[in-house]
């Protein structure tokens, strides 16, 4: 891959960023305590950023520790949720002997006399038993008559003058689905903790269910912070369009959350007060904020969390973009709520979504971890001296191709991407396998 001036400029910029790589600088996730505790590392000029893998583990542990809820919902409302009770068969499947093919039900050895009248259709009443040497047309899914020896497929038999002749050997029981072939009544079909997929809904319906006991989707509320954001029109006079509000709600929905609302709050004292009220009164399982996670004069997230008595689990992650992201617990460990603070730059916010919000939401929903996989990268990828980088990539049949326009404030690259590649410190060589974080529109959203 040809290196561009932009690539070289990125290398130079990354090399200028120096972070203390000592073990004391990484910080133990989840061990930071309340926000008003002394911060010796920060006071000493260091940093407390958790490593990227440890930050994700902390998010998983935080979500896994919350008390699980359960509700009973109609099948149509259970999609994407997780079973909180085992799915046991309510009946034998199939519940009667059925034909696996369109053809002929026959009794005894052939040739057979064709029973006069209509054949047997799916959903019809119990058919009359077959006499020895008798045949009757039968449809797929129809109930097998008593004393049937086998079903002969239509294409494997010939009718001539009221007689049926098999065109190949007939084996007893062929093309008959016997009662209970798939399961017996009371048999475990799927355990609690299984994700309700379209296939599970079909199985549940076949087994006789009208409702399922599931864990509700975690709820999420979005708070977009900033006075410089426009909700319509073109950027002008130092103001920029709010790119996060249109993106975050649908993204969180695809990650499995039920978004209860999106609010915009200012950076002034009134905005800080509104943020405090939102943090302390929201009933959402997860509050997602954008911007205000650094230490500038209008960055209110840390002071508000401190005032609310929140416990800071993650205060910065060694990842680029998005390192000033945070994760806090509001309330106690079992019944508390969580807040994920995303940076204000759009791609940095995406990094925070996939680093903290995605694993937290999966754990809150009771879902298992997403399987990890790696793909060889095409071309060298520059790295940060100490931090992980998340780089938008396009997936081909053989490679992950890094995309341009991957600066913290840019969405052009990720909008064209299938995944983010996890680039270790110091970068990766062409052909090196890198872990991939699927983007929800490329991986099928919350049902995969």
């Amino acid at each position: 891959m040809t290196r561009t001036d932009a690539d070289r400029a990125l290398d130079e910029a990354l090399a200028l960023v120096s972070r203390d790589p000592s073990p004391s600088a990484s910080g133990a996730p989840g061990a930071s305590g309340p926000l008003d505790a002394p911060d010796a590392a920060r006071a000493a000029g260091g940093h407390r950023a958790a490593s990227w893998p440890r930050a994700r583990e902390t998010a998983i542990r935080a979500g896994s520790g919350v008390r699980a809820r359960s509700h009973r919902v109609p099948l149509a409302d259970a999609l994407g949720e997780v079973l909180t009770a085992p799915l046991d068969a309510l009946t034998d499947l199939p519940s009667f002997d059925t034909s696996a093919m369109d053809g002929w039900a026959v009794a005894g050895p052939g040739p057979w006399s064709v029973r006069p009248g209509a054949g047997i259709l799916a959903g019809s009443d119990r058919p009359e038993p077959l006499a020895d040497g008798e045949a009757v047309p039968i449809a797929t899914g129809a109930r097998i008559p008593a004393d049937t020896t086998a079903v002969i497929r239509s294409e494997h038999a010939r009718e001539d003058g009221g007689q049926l002749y098999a065109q190949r050997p007939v084996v007893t029981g062929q093309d008959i689905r016997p009662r209970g072939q798939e399961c017996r009544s009371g048999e475990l079909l799927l355990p609690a903790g299984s994700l309700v997929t379209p296939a599970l809904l079909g199985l549940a319906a076949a087994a006789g269910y009208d409702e399922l006991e599931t864990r509700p989707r975690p709820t999420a509320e979005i708070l977009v912070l900033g006075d410089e954001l426009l909700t319509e029109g073109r950027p002008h006079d130092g103001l920029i369009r709010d790119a996060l509000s249109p993106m975050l709600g649908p993204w969180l929905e695809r990650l499995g959350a039920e978004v209860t609302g999106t609010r915009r709050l200012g950076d002034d004292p009134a905005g800080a007060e509104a943020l405090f009220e939102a943090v302390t009164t929201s009933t959402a399982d997860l509050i997602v904020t954008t911007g205000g996670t650094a230490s500038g004069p209008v960055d209110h997230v840390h002071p508000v969390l401190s005032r609310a008595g929140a416990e800071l689990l993650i205060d910065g992650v060694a990842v680029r973009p998005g390192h000033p992201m945070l994760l806090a617990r509001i309330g106690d460990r079992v019944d508390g709520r969580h807040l994920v603070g995303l940076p204000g730059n759009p791609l940095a916010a995406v990094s925070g979504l996939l680093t903290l919000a995605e694993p937290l939401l999966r754990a809150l929903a009771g879902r298992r971890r997403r399987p990890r996989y790696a793909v060889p990268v095409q071309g060298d990828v520059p790295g940060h001296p100490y931090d992980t980088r998340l780089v938008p990539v396009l997936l081909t049949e053989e490679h992950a191709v890094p995309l341009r326009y991957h600066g913290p404030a840019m969405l052009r690259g990720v909008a064209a991407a299938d995944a983010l590649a996890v680039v270790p410190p110091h970068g990766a060589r062409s052909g090196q396998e890198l872990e991939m974080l699927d983007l929800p529109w490329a991986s099928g959203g919350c049902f995969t």
Side-chain angles (χ1 to χ4, degrees):
M1 176 177 290
T2 304
R3 291 178 56 80
T4 66
D5 292 339
D7 293 327
R8 286 189 289 272
L10 175 63
D11 287 349
E12 295 170 2
L14 291 174
L16 290 173
V17 182
S18 178
R19 300 281 295 268
D20 177 10
S22 64
S24 62
S26 63
S32 58
L35 289 181
D36 55 356
D39 189 345
R42 181 168 292 166
H47 68 89
R48 306 171 59 226
S51 70
W52 184 79
R54 293 182 68 187
R56 286 173 61 82
E57 286 296 324
T58 299
I60 292 170
R61 288 199 303 270
S64 300
V66 173
R67 191 191 311 275
R69 301 190 301 271
S70 182
H71 63 174
R72 179 176 287 273
V73 293
L75 294 185
D77 298 332
L79 187 63
E81 297 185 351
V82 169
L83 295 179
T84 53
L87 189 72
D88 296 327
L90 301 180
T91 182
D92 296 343
L93 282 183
S95 56
F96 47 83
D97 294 347
T98 63
S99 176
M101 294 288 171
D102 292 335
W104 303 83
V106 300
W112 302 268
S113 298
V114 177
R115 177 190 289 177
I120 306 171
L121 301 178
S124 60
D125 294 335
R126 182 187 298 273
E128 293 294 325
L130 283 179
D132 193 43
E134 191 175 27
V136 64
I138 193 167
T140 301
R143 184 179 299 194
I144 295 291
D147 301 323
T148 295
T149 301
V151 170
I152 304 174
R153 302 183 187 192
S154 298
E155 61 269 27
H156 296 164
R158 173 178 58 87
E159 183 184 5
D160 186 8
Q163 293 290 109
L164 184 72
Y165 300 90
Q167 295 180 315
R168 58 181 60 188
V170 177
V171 178
T172 299
Q174 73 180 28
D175 287 326
I176 294 175
R177 294 186 63 216
R179 176 173 181 163
Q181 181 185 54
E182 186 169 4
C183 66
R184 289 292 184 181
S185 180
E187 185 177 340
L188 175 66
L189 300 177
L190 288 169
S194 299
L195 179 67
V196 180
T197 63
L200 188 149
L201 290 177
L203 176 62
Y209 283 84
D210 298 316
E211 297 178 323
L212 292 174
E213 292 183 32
T214 59
R215 189 165 176 170
R217 293 173 181 266
T219 55
E221 182 176 9
I222 301 167
L223 305 176
V224 178
L225 313 181
D227 292 328
E228 75 281 13
L229 304 177
L230 296 169
T231 58
E232 60 183 14
R234 300 179 183 180
H236 63 85
D237 299 328
L239 302 178
I240 61 174
R241 276 296 296 270
D242 174 12
L244 296 177
S245 294
M247 175 176 72
L248 292 182
W251 202 310
L252 289 167
E253 291 277 1
R254 294 298 296 269
L255 292 179
E258 178 185 343
V259 177
T260 60
T262 299
R263 287 190 277 169
R264 296 178 179 86
L265 306 178
D267 287 330
D268 56 4
E273 194 62 31
L275 177 61
F276 174 77
E277 181 180 1
V279 166
T280 53
T281 62
S282 174
T283 59
D285 300 307
L286 171 63
I287 301 170
V288 176
T289 64
T290 69
T293 55
S295 303
V298 293
D299 291 329
H300 299 306
V301 174
H302 283 90
V304 162
L305 290 175
S306 177
R307 181 181 167 194
E311 180 184 2
L312 196 59
L313 305 178
I314 294 292
D315 187 10
V317 179
V319 66
R320 301 300 173 119
H323 64 95
M325 66 182 73
L326 61 84
L327 170 63
R329 180 187 291 122
I330 305 166
D332 63 59
R333 184 179 300 271
V334 175
D335 293 314
R337 298 171 293 116
H338 290 85
L339 181 144
V340 169
L342 303 177
N345 277 324
L347 187 57
V350 169
S351 174
L353 276 178
L354 297 182
T355 299
L356 296 178
E358 191 261 357
L360 176 68
L361 284 170
R362 291 184 74 90
L364 287 173
R367 297 181 61 190
R368 62 184 176 88
R369 301 187 185 199
R370 186 182 295 279
R372 297 174 61 182
Y373 73 98
V375 176
V377 68
Q378 180 177 297
D380 294 347
V381 185
H384 187 276
Y386 310 117
D387 295 352
T388 300
R389 285 188 68 214
L390 301 182
V391 177
V393 295
L394 190 66
L395 298 178
T396 69
E397 292 185 359
E398 297 180 352
H399 296 98
V401 182
L403 296 172
R404 298 174 60 192
Y405 308 108
H406 44 59
M410 298 180 179
L411 288 175
R412 185 173 173 181
V414 73
D418 298 313
L420 297 185
V422 182
V423 182
H426 307 296
R429 294 293 185 185
S430 183
Q432 181 176 335
E433 290 197 343
L434 298 179
E435 180 181 350
M436 295 292 137
L437 298 178
D438 282 334
L439 298 175
W441 51 86
S443 61
C446 62
F447 306 126
T448 58

